[in-house]
Amino acid sequence: MDAVSLKNQGNKLFGEGRLAEAIKCYTKAIELDPENAIFYSNRSFAYLKLEDYGFAIEDATKAIEKNPKYPKGYYRRAVAHMALYQPKEALKDFKNAVRYAPNDKSALQKSQECEKLVRRIRFEEAIQAEEPPSALEGINIEDMDVPTDYDGVRLEGKMTEEFIRDFIQRFKDGKRMPLKYVYWILREIKAFYEQEPSLVEVAVENDEELVVCGDTHGQFFDLLNIFETNGAPSPKKKYLFNGDFVDRGSWSTEVALLLYSYKLLYPDNMFINRGNHETNDMNKMYGFEGECKAKYNERTYRIFSETFVALPLATLIGKHYLVLHGGLFSKDTVTLDDIRKFDRLQRKQPGQSGIMMEMLWTDPQPNAGRGPSKRGVGLQFGPDITKKFCELNNLKAVIRSHEVRQDGYEVEHDGRLITVFSAPNYCDTTGNMGAVIHIQSTYELKFAQFSAVPHPNVRPMAYASGLLGLM
């Protein structure tokens, strides 16, 4: 088969959603004709759909190298930069896309939107104080009024099971929580987690069970299904949510408020790690900031952001399993004590390097050693890296999330690395199962899979930045 035929076959597979197979076709086409910019651009687009933004940038750059006047190369690279919230880099590429395709209305529109964003960022950077005050400052929550038409259970200074049951039903009915109660929950959660270590340690006693959940990404109705099928949090039913509970799905505020409420009700039985989407950059692009503003107000988002900063970065289960959102490190010498001593409250956001970024962003690879990140942030690590880390820290395995798995979970790296993902049919498009891990006092891992459940007709990413509409 010649290169063009392989490209056409790749396009057909792409249209069917078979992205990995499409990439193989584009790769074969490139091998036969490595000077064709279109082949790199098409593969870049497939990587974009897989959220492999680092690879997408590499291919778009190669397309530009082959044809410096190729507008789609700049367009693809701009989208990948925006997906990583790198608007200044994206703006340069959008402008070039317009330069070489002046009649492309979409490129022009996105270039203008991106330029407005960059101007806003520069303005905010210019006026920002060294340490802005807490968004909770100046709010007297106790003196706030509850709307007169509120007919739900009252929250009187203490979280209750009755209040949680009531607002779950209200959320299912499309209603919102009174702002007074939102602020109260966020204030209490922030205060609680600011006293917690960066590495939380959990034991599972004889009559208890711990359920480990991966990404839920604002899929509120699938979260309710997890509780319905596995049992709700209780004094004997512990839960650990391993980050990325907001963004993408359009019920992220509902998911976050429910998890936080259960944490306040059962502080010793509900555990939450921070993910790479509990960060400012991701929230600005993937919907959580927009959702907070649409359903509540901008201050609500800013307070949520402060709670995210306070979340622990990892959980150690029975001294056997380290649970963290992304993966392992660029150095073989990192220990559990390094995580314990890490000052996440001072660092606040993960940035582009360092131990915190690596914990939230890295991914496994099948090959030994370390490799460049397919995402454009962090790195990839092989089975030998996982083995060394587990042996150094006397662990059975590392449990992480951060990536879709078609079966909801995957055991890899010779059994020392487990990925669990708990958002079935991710973004209503992937068709994947969700999964959770059950752990009892023997510390054996048992996996439970589940399918997506119906939800109201609100599309994923409904509150996301318009710049992501390109994808």
Side-chain angles (χ1 to χ4, degrees):
M1 191 178 292
D2 62 26
V4 173
S5 297
L6 284 164
K7 183 264 292 184
N8 292 337
Q9 184 178 352
N11 290 350
K12 181 175 182 295
L13 292 166
F14 182 98
E16 295 171 356
R18 298 157 66 181
L19 301 176
E21 296 173 69
I23 286 170
K24 290 179 181 178
C25 286
Y26 297 141
T27 301
K28 291 177 181 177
I30 289 168
E31 291 169 354
L32 292 175
D33 183 1
E35 299 304 313
N36 193 315
I38 295 173
F39 301 163
Y40 293 104
S41 177
N42 286 11
R43 192 169 69 175
S44 176
F45 195 22
Y47 280 132
L48 279 172
K49 290 292 187 179
L50 286 174
E51 302 179 18
D52 293 344
Y53 303 125
F55 288 171
I57 289 171
E58 286 182 14
D59 270 353
T61 300
K62 288 175 183 175
I64 293 166
E65 289 171 355
K66 302 304 177 186
N67 182 356
K69 296 183 178 181
Y70 185 53
K72 280 191 177 180
Y74 294 105
Y75 198 79
R76 303 276 190 250
R77 194 165 68 179
V79 175
H81 279 306
M82 280 311 308
L84 294 170
Y85 199 68
Q86 298 168 346
K88 294 176 183 177
E89 293 86 345
L91 180 57
K92 297 174 186 176
D93 286 330
F94 279 133
K95 286 185 174 180
N96 275 320
V98 172
R99 177 184 178 188
Y100 296 117
N103 295 322
D104 188 330
K105 294 181 180 179
S106 178
L108 178 61
Q109 177 190 353
K110 298 306 178 185
S111 178
Q112 292 170 342
E113 289 178 16
C114 191
E115 188 158 19
K116 289 179 184 177
L117 175 60
V118 170
R119 286 176 182 167
R120 192 186 80 190
I121 291 170
R122 286 173 177 160
F123 174 75
E124 290 172 350
E125 289 173 347
I127 66 171
Q128 185 173 7
E130 286 187 11
E131 185 63 41
S134 169
L136 284 163
E137 189 172 302
I139 305 176
N140 190 333
I141 297 173
E142 279 66 32
D143 287 346
M144 289 178 67
D145 293 325
V146 174
T148 55
D149 60 350
Y150 175 70
D151 57 356
V153 173
R154 300 276 168 160
L155 181 60
E156 304 292 349
K158 180 181 179 181
M159 186 57 61
T160 66
E161 187 77 51
E162 182 186 17
F163 179 77
I164 291 176
R165 284 197 303 268
D166 180 73
F167 82 67
I168 286 175
Q169 186 58 52
R170 294 180 69 83
F171 285 164
K172 289 168 73 173
D173 294 339
K175 298 178 181 179
R176 297 171 190 167
M177 186 182 289
L179 195 58
K180 174 176 182 173
Y181 298 159
V182 173
Y183 285 172
W184 184 88
I185 291 169
L186 298 182
R187 182 188 68 184
E188 298 302 304
I189 279 291
K190 180 174 184 281
F192 179 92
Y193 274 123
E194 285 179 341
Q195 304 305 311
E196 288 285 279
S198 291
L199 176 62
V200 172
E201 302 192 31
V202 179
V204 185
E205 305 299 337
N206 288 333
D207 56 348
E208 296 177 341
E209 182 176 62
L210 172 65
V211 182
V212 181
C213 304
D215 303 33
T216 49
H217 274 302
Q219 296 185 196
F220 178 68
F221 294 86
D222 292 308
L223 173 62
L224 295 182
N225 184 49
I226 289 173
F227 290 149
E228 288 166 7
T229 56
N230 298 278
S234 71
K236 298 299 181 183
K237 178 77 70 172
K238 297 180 175 181
Y239 272 88
L240 166 57
F241 283 84
N242 193 27
D244 278 15
F245 49 91
V246 302
D247 277 340
R248 297 194 180 277
S250 296
W251 293 272
S252 291
T253 54
E254 289 84 353
V255 168
L257 289 169
L258 180 55
L259 297 186
Y260 282 178
S261 295
Y262 270 127
K263 179 64 181 178
L264 294 175
L265 182 62
Y266 299 118
D268 298 325
N269 295 76
M270 170 64 78
F271 305 93
I272 307 170
N273 287 341
R274 189 179 189 179
N276 68 300
H277 276 269
E278 282 75 53
T279 59
N280 289 349
D281 288 356
M282 295 296 100
N283 294 160
K284 290 179 186 301
M285 292 305 301
Y286 291 93
F288 186 63
E289 181 181 27
E291 182 181 338
C292 286
K293 291 177 179 178
K295 294 181 179 179
Y296 297 102
N297 56 31
E298 182 178 358
R299 175 172 261 177
T300 298
Y301 167 68
R302 290 192 286 123
I303 303 172
F304 260 119
S305 179
E306 292 178 23
T307 70
F308 295 164
V309 166
L311 290 174
L313 300 177
T315 302
L316 181 63
I317 301 176
K319 302 190 184 301
H320 300 298
Y321 303 102
L322 178 69
V323 186
L324 74 175
H325 181 72
L328 299 182
F329 307 94
S330 56
K331 297 179 181 178
D332 290 332
T333 54
V334 176
T335 66
L336 298 182
D337 277 340
D338 291 321
I339 301 173
R340 288 187 181 98
K341 292 184 293 186
F342 185 81
D343 189 351
R344 71 193 189 282
L345 299 176
Q346 179 66 32
R347 177 64 182 265
K348 290 184 169 45
Q349 301 299 322
Q352 296 295 309
S353 62
I355 186 174
M356 182 177 178
M357 179 277 293
E358 291 170 357
M359 293 176 72
L360 300 186
W361 275 98
T362 61
D363 295 293
Q365 64 181 24
N367 302 326
R370 296 179 174 89
S373 170
K374 61 186 178 182
R375 297 177 187 268
V377 182
L379 54 93
Q380 295 190 110
F381 59 94
D384 56 325
I385 306 301
T386 303
K387 180 181 179 183
K388 289 176 186 177
F389 181 81
C390 288
E391 289 176 348
L392 177 64
N393 292 285
N394 196 29
L395 296 169
K396 287 184 178 180
V398 173
I399 299 174
R400 43 94 62 179
S401 301
H402 195 41
E403 289 183 287
V404 179
R405 291 293 188 263
Q406 282 304 117
D407 292 329
Y409 73 96
E410 183 177 0
V411 180
E412 48 197 317
H413 288 192
D414 303 314
R416 291 183 179 268
L417 187 75
I418 297 100
T419 297
V420 59
F421 193 83
S422 304
N425 195 25
Y426 177 50
C427 287
D428 288 355
T429 59
T430 345
N432 63 290
M433 299 287 287
V436 298
I437 305 173
H438 291 261
I439 304 177
Q440 296 179 336
S441 59
T442 60
Y443 293 102
E444 297 299 317
L445 306 183
K446 295 183 179 179
F447 301 93
Q449 298 171 289
F450 54 95
S451 300
V453 297
H455 62 70
N457 188 25
V458 180
R459 62 179 176 82
M461 306 276 280
Y463 303 97
S465 166
L467 285 164
L468 286 182
L470 291 163
M471 295 171 61

